[in-house]
């Protein structure tokens, strides 16, 4: 069965219950959350997340799969500022605990930025941080996200991710989050040769290590190294290529998460609307709707 959903929010009084309700409103059967704002470390207590009510609702809706994404500010690759590295380690451990409390055993993590110190030094620092994190007993796995290569970020090649796998003391606790926009922007031809790209991935890491896909189109040409998501079928990757990935026989049971941009109102810059219900329907029915953006604006009026 196709497992497809999107990023949803977790806020307000209902917290995690609101996340599950939002996912259901998009006809999703999986979803992704941040445990708080991705730009900071402010978090509510686990007891305030309304977990039990959410779990009851999810059971009624047969909504069993979800994943958690760590905040962007975690940078295990920083070897320049010890306080930032130490914060990243401490907070990642807490995020793993929160993920397990919510009911997920998978936490997605950007490998980090070497902040000008070079790939080798950055990877060494990531390995050091993950080894510290894995020294704590936790049921949670870390899914390293494939990155686009903008700036000094790590993880834009399969070789870099493989080096992290090879260096950690507990590689069995690592997985990969495969982001279509990022991989495309990094220079891999997933449009014309996805199977060939998968052969490369399998050689360096193993296809069985992909635990979740981020399904995003891209505003950029292949290899641009810019990381700008676009709505499904409206970018440079295109609907047909993304559709074939979503329905690929090797990844039927792997959750696919949409992170595509909201649709802005053409006359009111303060208003924008989620595309996910429409995009999920397109990918399920295998039918591209070229007027999707107009349909979304009309539906929310």
């Amino acid at each position: 069965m196709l497992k497809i959903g999107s990023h949803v929010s977790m806020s307000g009084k209902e917290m995690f219950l609101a996340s599950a309700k939002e996912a259901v409103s998009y006809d999703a059967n999986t979803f992704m959350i941040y445990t708080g704002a991705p730009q900071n470390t402010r978090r509510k207590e686990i007891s305030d997340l309304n977990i039990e009510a959410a779990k009851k609702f999810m059971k009624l809706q047969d909504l069993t799969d979800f994943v958690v994404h760590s905040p962007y500010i975690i940078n295990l690759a920083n070897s320049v500022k010890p306080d930032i590295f130490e914060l990243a380690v401490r907070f990642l451990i807490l995020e793993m605990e929160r993920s397990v409390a919510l009911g997920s055993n998978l936490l997605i993590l950007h490998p980090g930025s070497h902040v000008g110190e070079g790939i080798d030094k950055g990877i060494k620092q990531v390995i050091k941080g993950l080894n510290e994190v894995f020294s704590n007993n936790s049921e949670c796995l870390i899914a390293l996200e494939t990155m686009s290569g903008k700036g000094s970020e790590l993880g834009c090649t399969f070789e870099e991710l493989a080096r992290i796998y090879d260096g950690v003391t507990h590689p069995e606790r690592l997985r990969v989050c495969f982001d279509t926009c990022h991989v495309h922007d990094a220079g891999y031809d997933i449009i014309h040769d996805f199977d060939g790209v998968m052969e490369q991935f399998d050689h360096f890491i193993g296809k069985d290590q992909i635990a979740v896909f981020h399904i995003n189109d891209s505003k950029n040409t292949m290899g641009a190294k810019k990381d700008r998501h676009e709505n499904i079928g409206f970018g440079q990757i295109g609907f047909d290529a993304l559709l074939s990935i979503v329905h690929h026989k090797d990844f039927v049971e792997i959750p696919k998460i949409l992170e595509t941009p909201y649709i802005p109102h053409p006359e009111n810059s303060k208003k924008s609307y989620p595309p996910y219900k429409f995009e999920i329907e397109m990918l399920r029915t295998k039918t591209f709707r070229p007027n999707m953006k107009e349909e979304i604006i009309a539906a929310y009026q």
Side-chain angles (χ1 to χ4, degrees):
M1 179 181 69
L2 177 62
K3 295 181 181 179
I4 189 165
S6 71
H7 163 244
V8 296
S9 63
M10 186 168 71
S11 60
K13 291 183 178 180
E14 289 192 320
M15 293 302 288
F16 190 37
L17 176 58
S19 304
K21 287 181 177 179
E22 184 180 351
V24 169
S25 76
Y26 301 145
D27 293 330
N29 56 5
T30 186
F31 61 94
M32 183 180 79
I33 58 169
Y34 293 86
T35 68
Q39 301 87 2
N40 62 54
T41 58
R42 292 192 295 273
R43 296 292 185 267
K44 289 192 175 184
E45 295 294 329
I46 290 175
S47 59
D48 294 329
L49 300 183
N50 204 18
I51 295 173
E52 291 309 312
K55 286 182 176 179
K56 289 179 182 178
F57 175 80
M58 290 169 66
K59 186 175 182 180
L60 289 172
Q61 298 292 330
D62 196 26
L63 188 61
T64 56
D65 280 293
F66 74 97
V67 295
V68 182
H69 200 303
S70 62
Y72 306 141
I73 60 168
I74 290 180
N75 186 9
L76 291 180
N78 194 321
S79 61
V80 177
K81 296 183 178 180
D83 56 332
I84 291 179
F85 173 78
E86 290 164 8
L87 170 66
V89 170
R90 291 197 308 271
F91 198 72
L92 188 55
I93 291 170
L94 292 174
E95 285 288 85
M96 293 170 74
E97 292 175 357
R98 293 165 70 82
S99 297
V100 172
L102 285 160
S104 175
N105 71 337
L106 188 70
L107 179 65
I108 298 167
L109 174 70
H110 291 183
S113 168
H114 62 68
V115 294
E117 293 298 293
I119 293 172
D120 291 346
K121 199 166 183 178
I123 288 177
K124 183 178 179 180
Q125 192 75 345
V126 173
I127 292 169
K128 176 184 174 182
L130 287 173
N131 283 340
E132 288 189 37
V133 168
F134 290 152
S135 68
N136 288 263
N137 291 323
S138 174
E139 305 167 35
C140 194
L141 305 173
I142 294 290
L144 300 172
E145 186 167 341
T146 56
M147 304 306 292
S148 66
K150 69 179 188 298
S152 60
E153 68 183 7
L154 301 172
C156 64
T157 69
F158 303 153
E159 293 94 327
E160 289 177 12
L161 294 177
R163 287 174 62 185
I164 297 173
Y165 263 83
D166 291 341
V168 296
T169 53
H170 292 285
E172 74 280 0
R173 293 182 62 184
L174 286 178
R175 296 294 186 274
V176 172
C177 170
F178 191 103
D179 187 302
T180 56
C181 173
H182 295 175
V183 170
H184 165 83
D185 280 23
Y188 291 95
D189 189 3
I190 62 171
I191 301 172
H192 306 103
D193 191 24
F194 179 71
D195 285 335
V197 171
M198 281 295 99
E199 286 181 12
Q200 293 182 59
F201 186 92
D202 196 43
H203 171 74
F204 285 106
I205 302 169
K207 289 191 291 187
D208 62 325
Q209 292 301 294
I210 298 177
V212 58
F213 281 88
H214 284 170
I215 302 296
N216 301 299
D217 213 324
S218 174
K219 293 182 183 293
N220 307 299
T221 55
M222 187 180 74
K225 300 186 184 301
K226 290 184 178 179
D227 184 15
R228 294 183 65 209
H229 296 186
E230 179 58 282
N231 294 101
I232 302 300
F234 291 87
Q236 295 294 319
I237 300 174
F239 183 75
D240 291 342
L242 292 170
L243 183 69
S244 66
I245 294 170
V246 166
H247 290 276
H248 197 283
K249 60 180 177 60
D250 290 346
F251 306 106
V252 174
E253 295 297 319
I254 304 301
K256 284 87 179 179
I257 302 295
L258 302 169
E259 298 178 306
T260 48
Y262 272 37
I263 306 301
H265 192 284
E267 299 173 359
N268 188 342
S269 60
K270 295 182 180 179
K271 286 187 177 181
S272 61
Y273 310 107
Y276 307 123
K277 182 179 177 68
F278 292 78
E279 291 181 324
I280 287 170
E281 182 180 0
M282 285 199 305
L283 291 168
R284 276 211 180 103
T285 62
K286 304 181 180 181
T287 305
F288 179 58
R289 292 155 71 171
N291 297 320
M292 183 197 75
K293 294 185 179 183
E294 291 81 2
E295 292 177 37
I296 291 171
I297 292 169
Y300 282 96
Q301 297 301 303

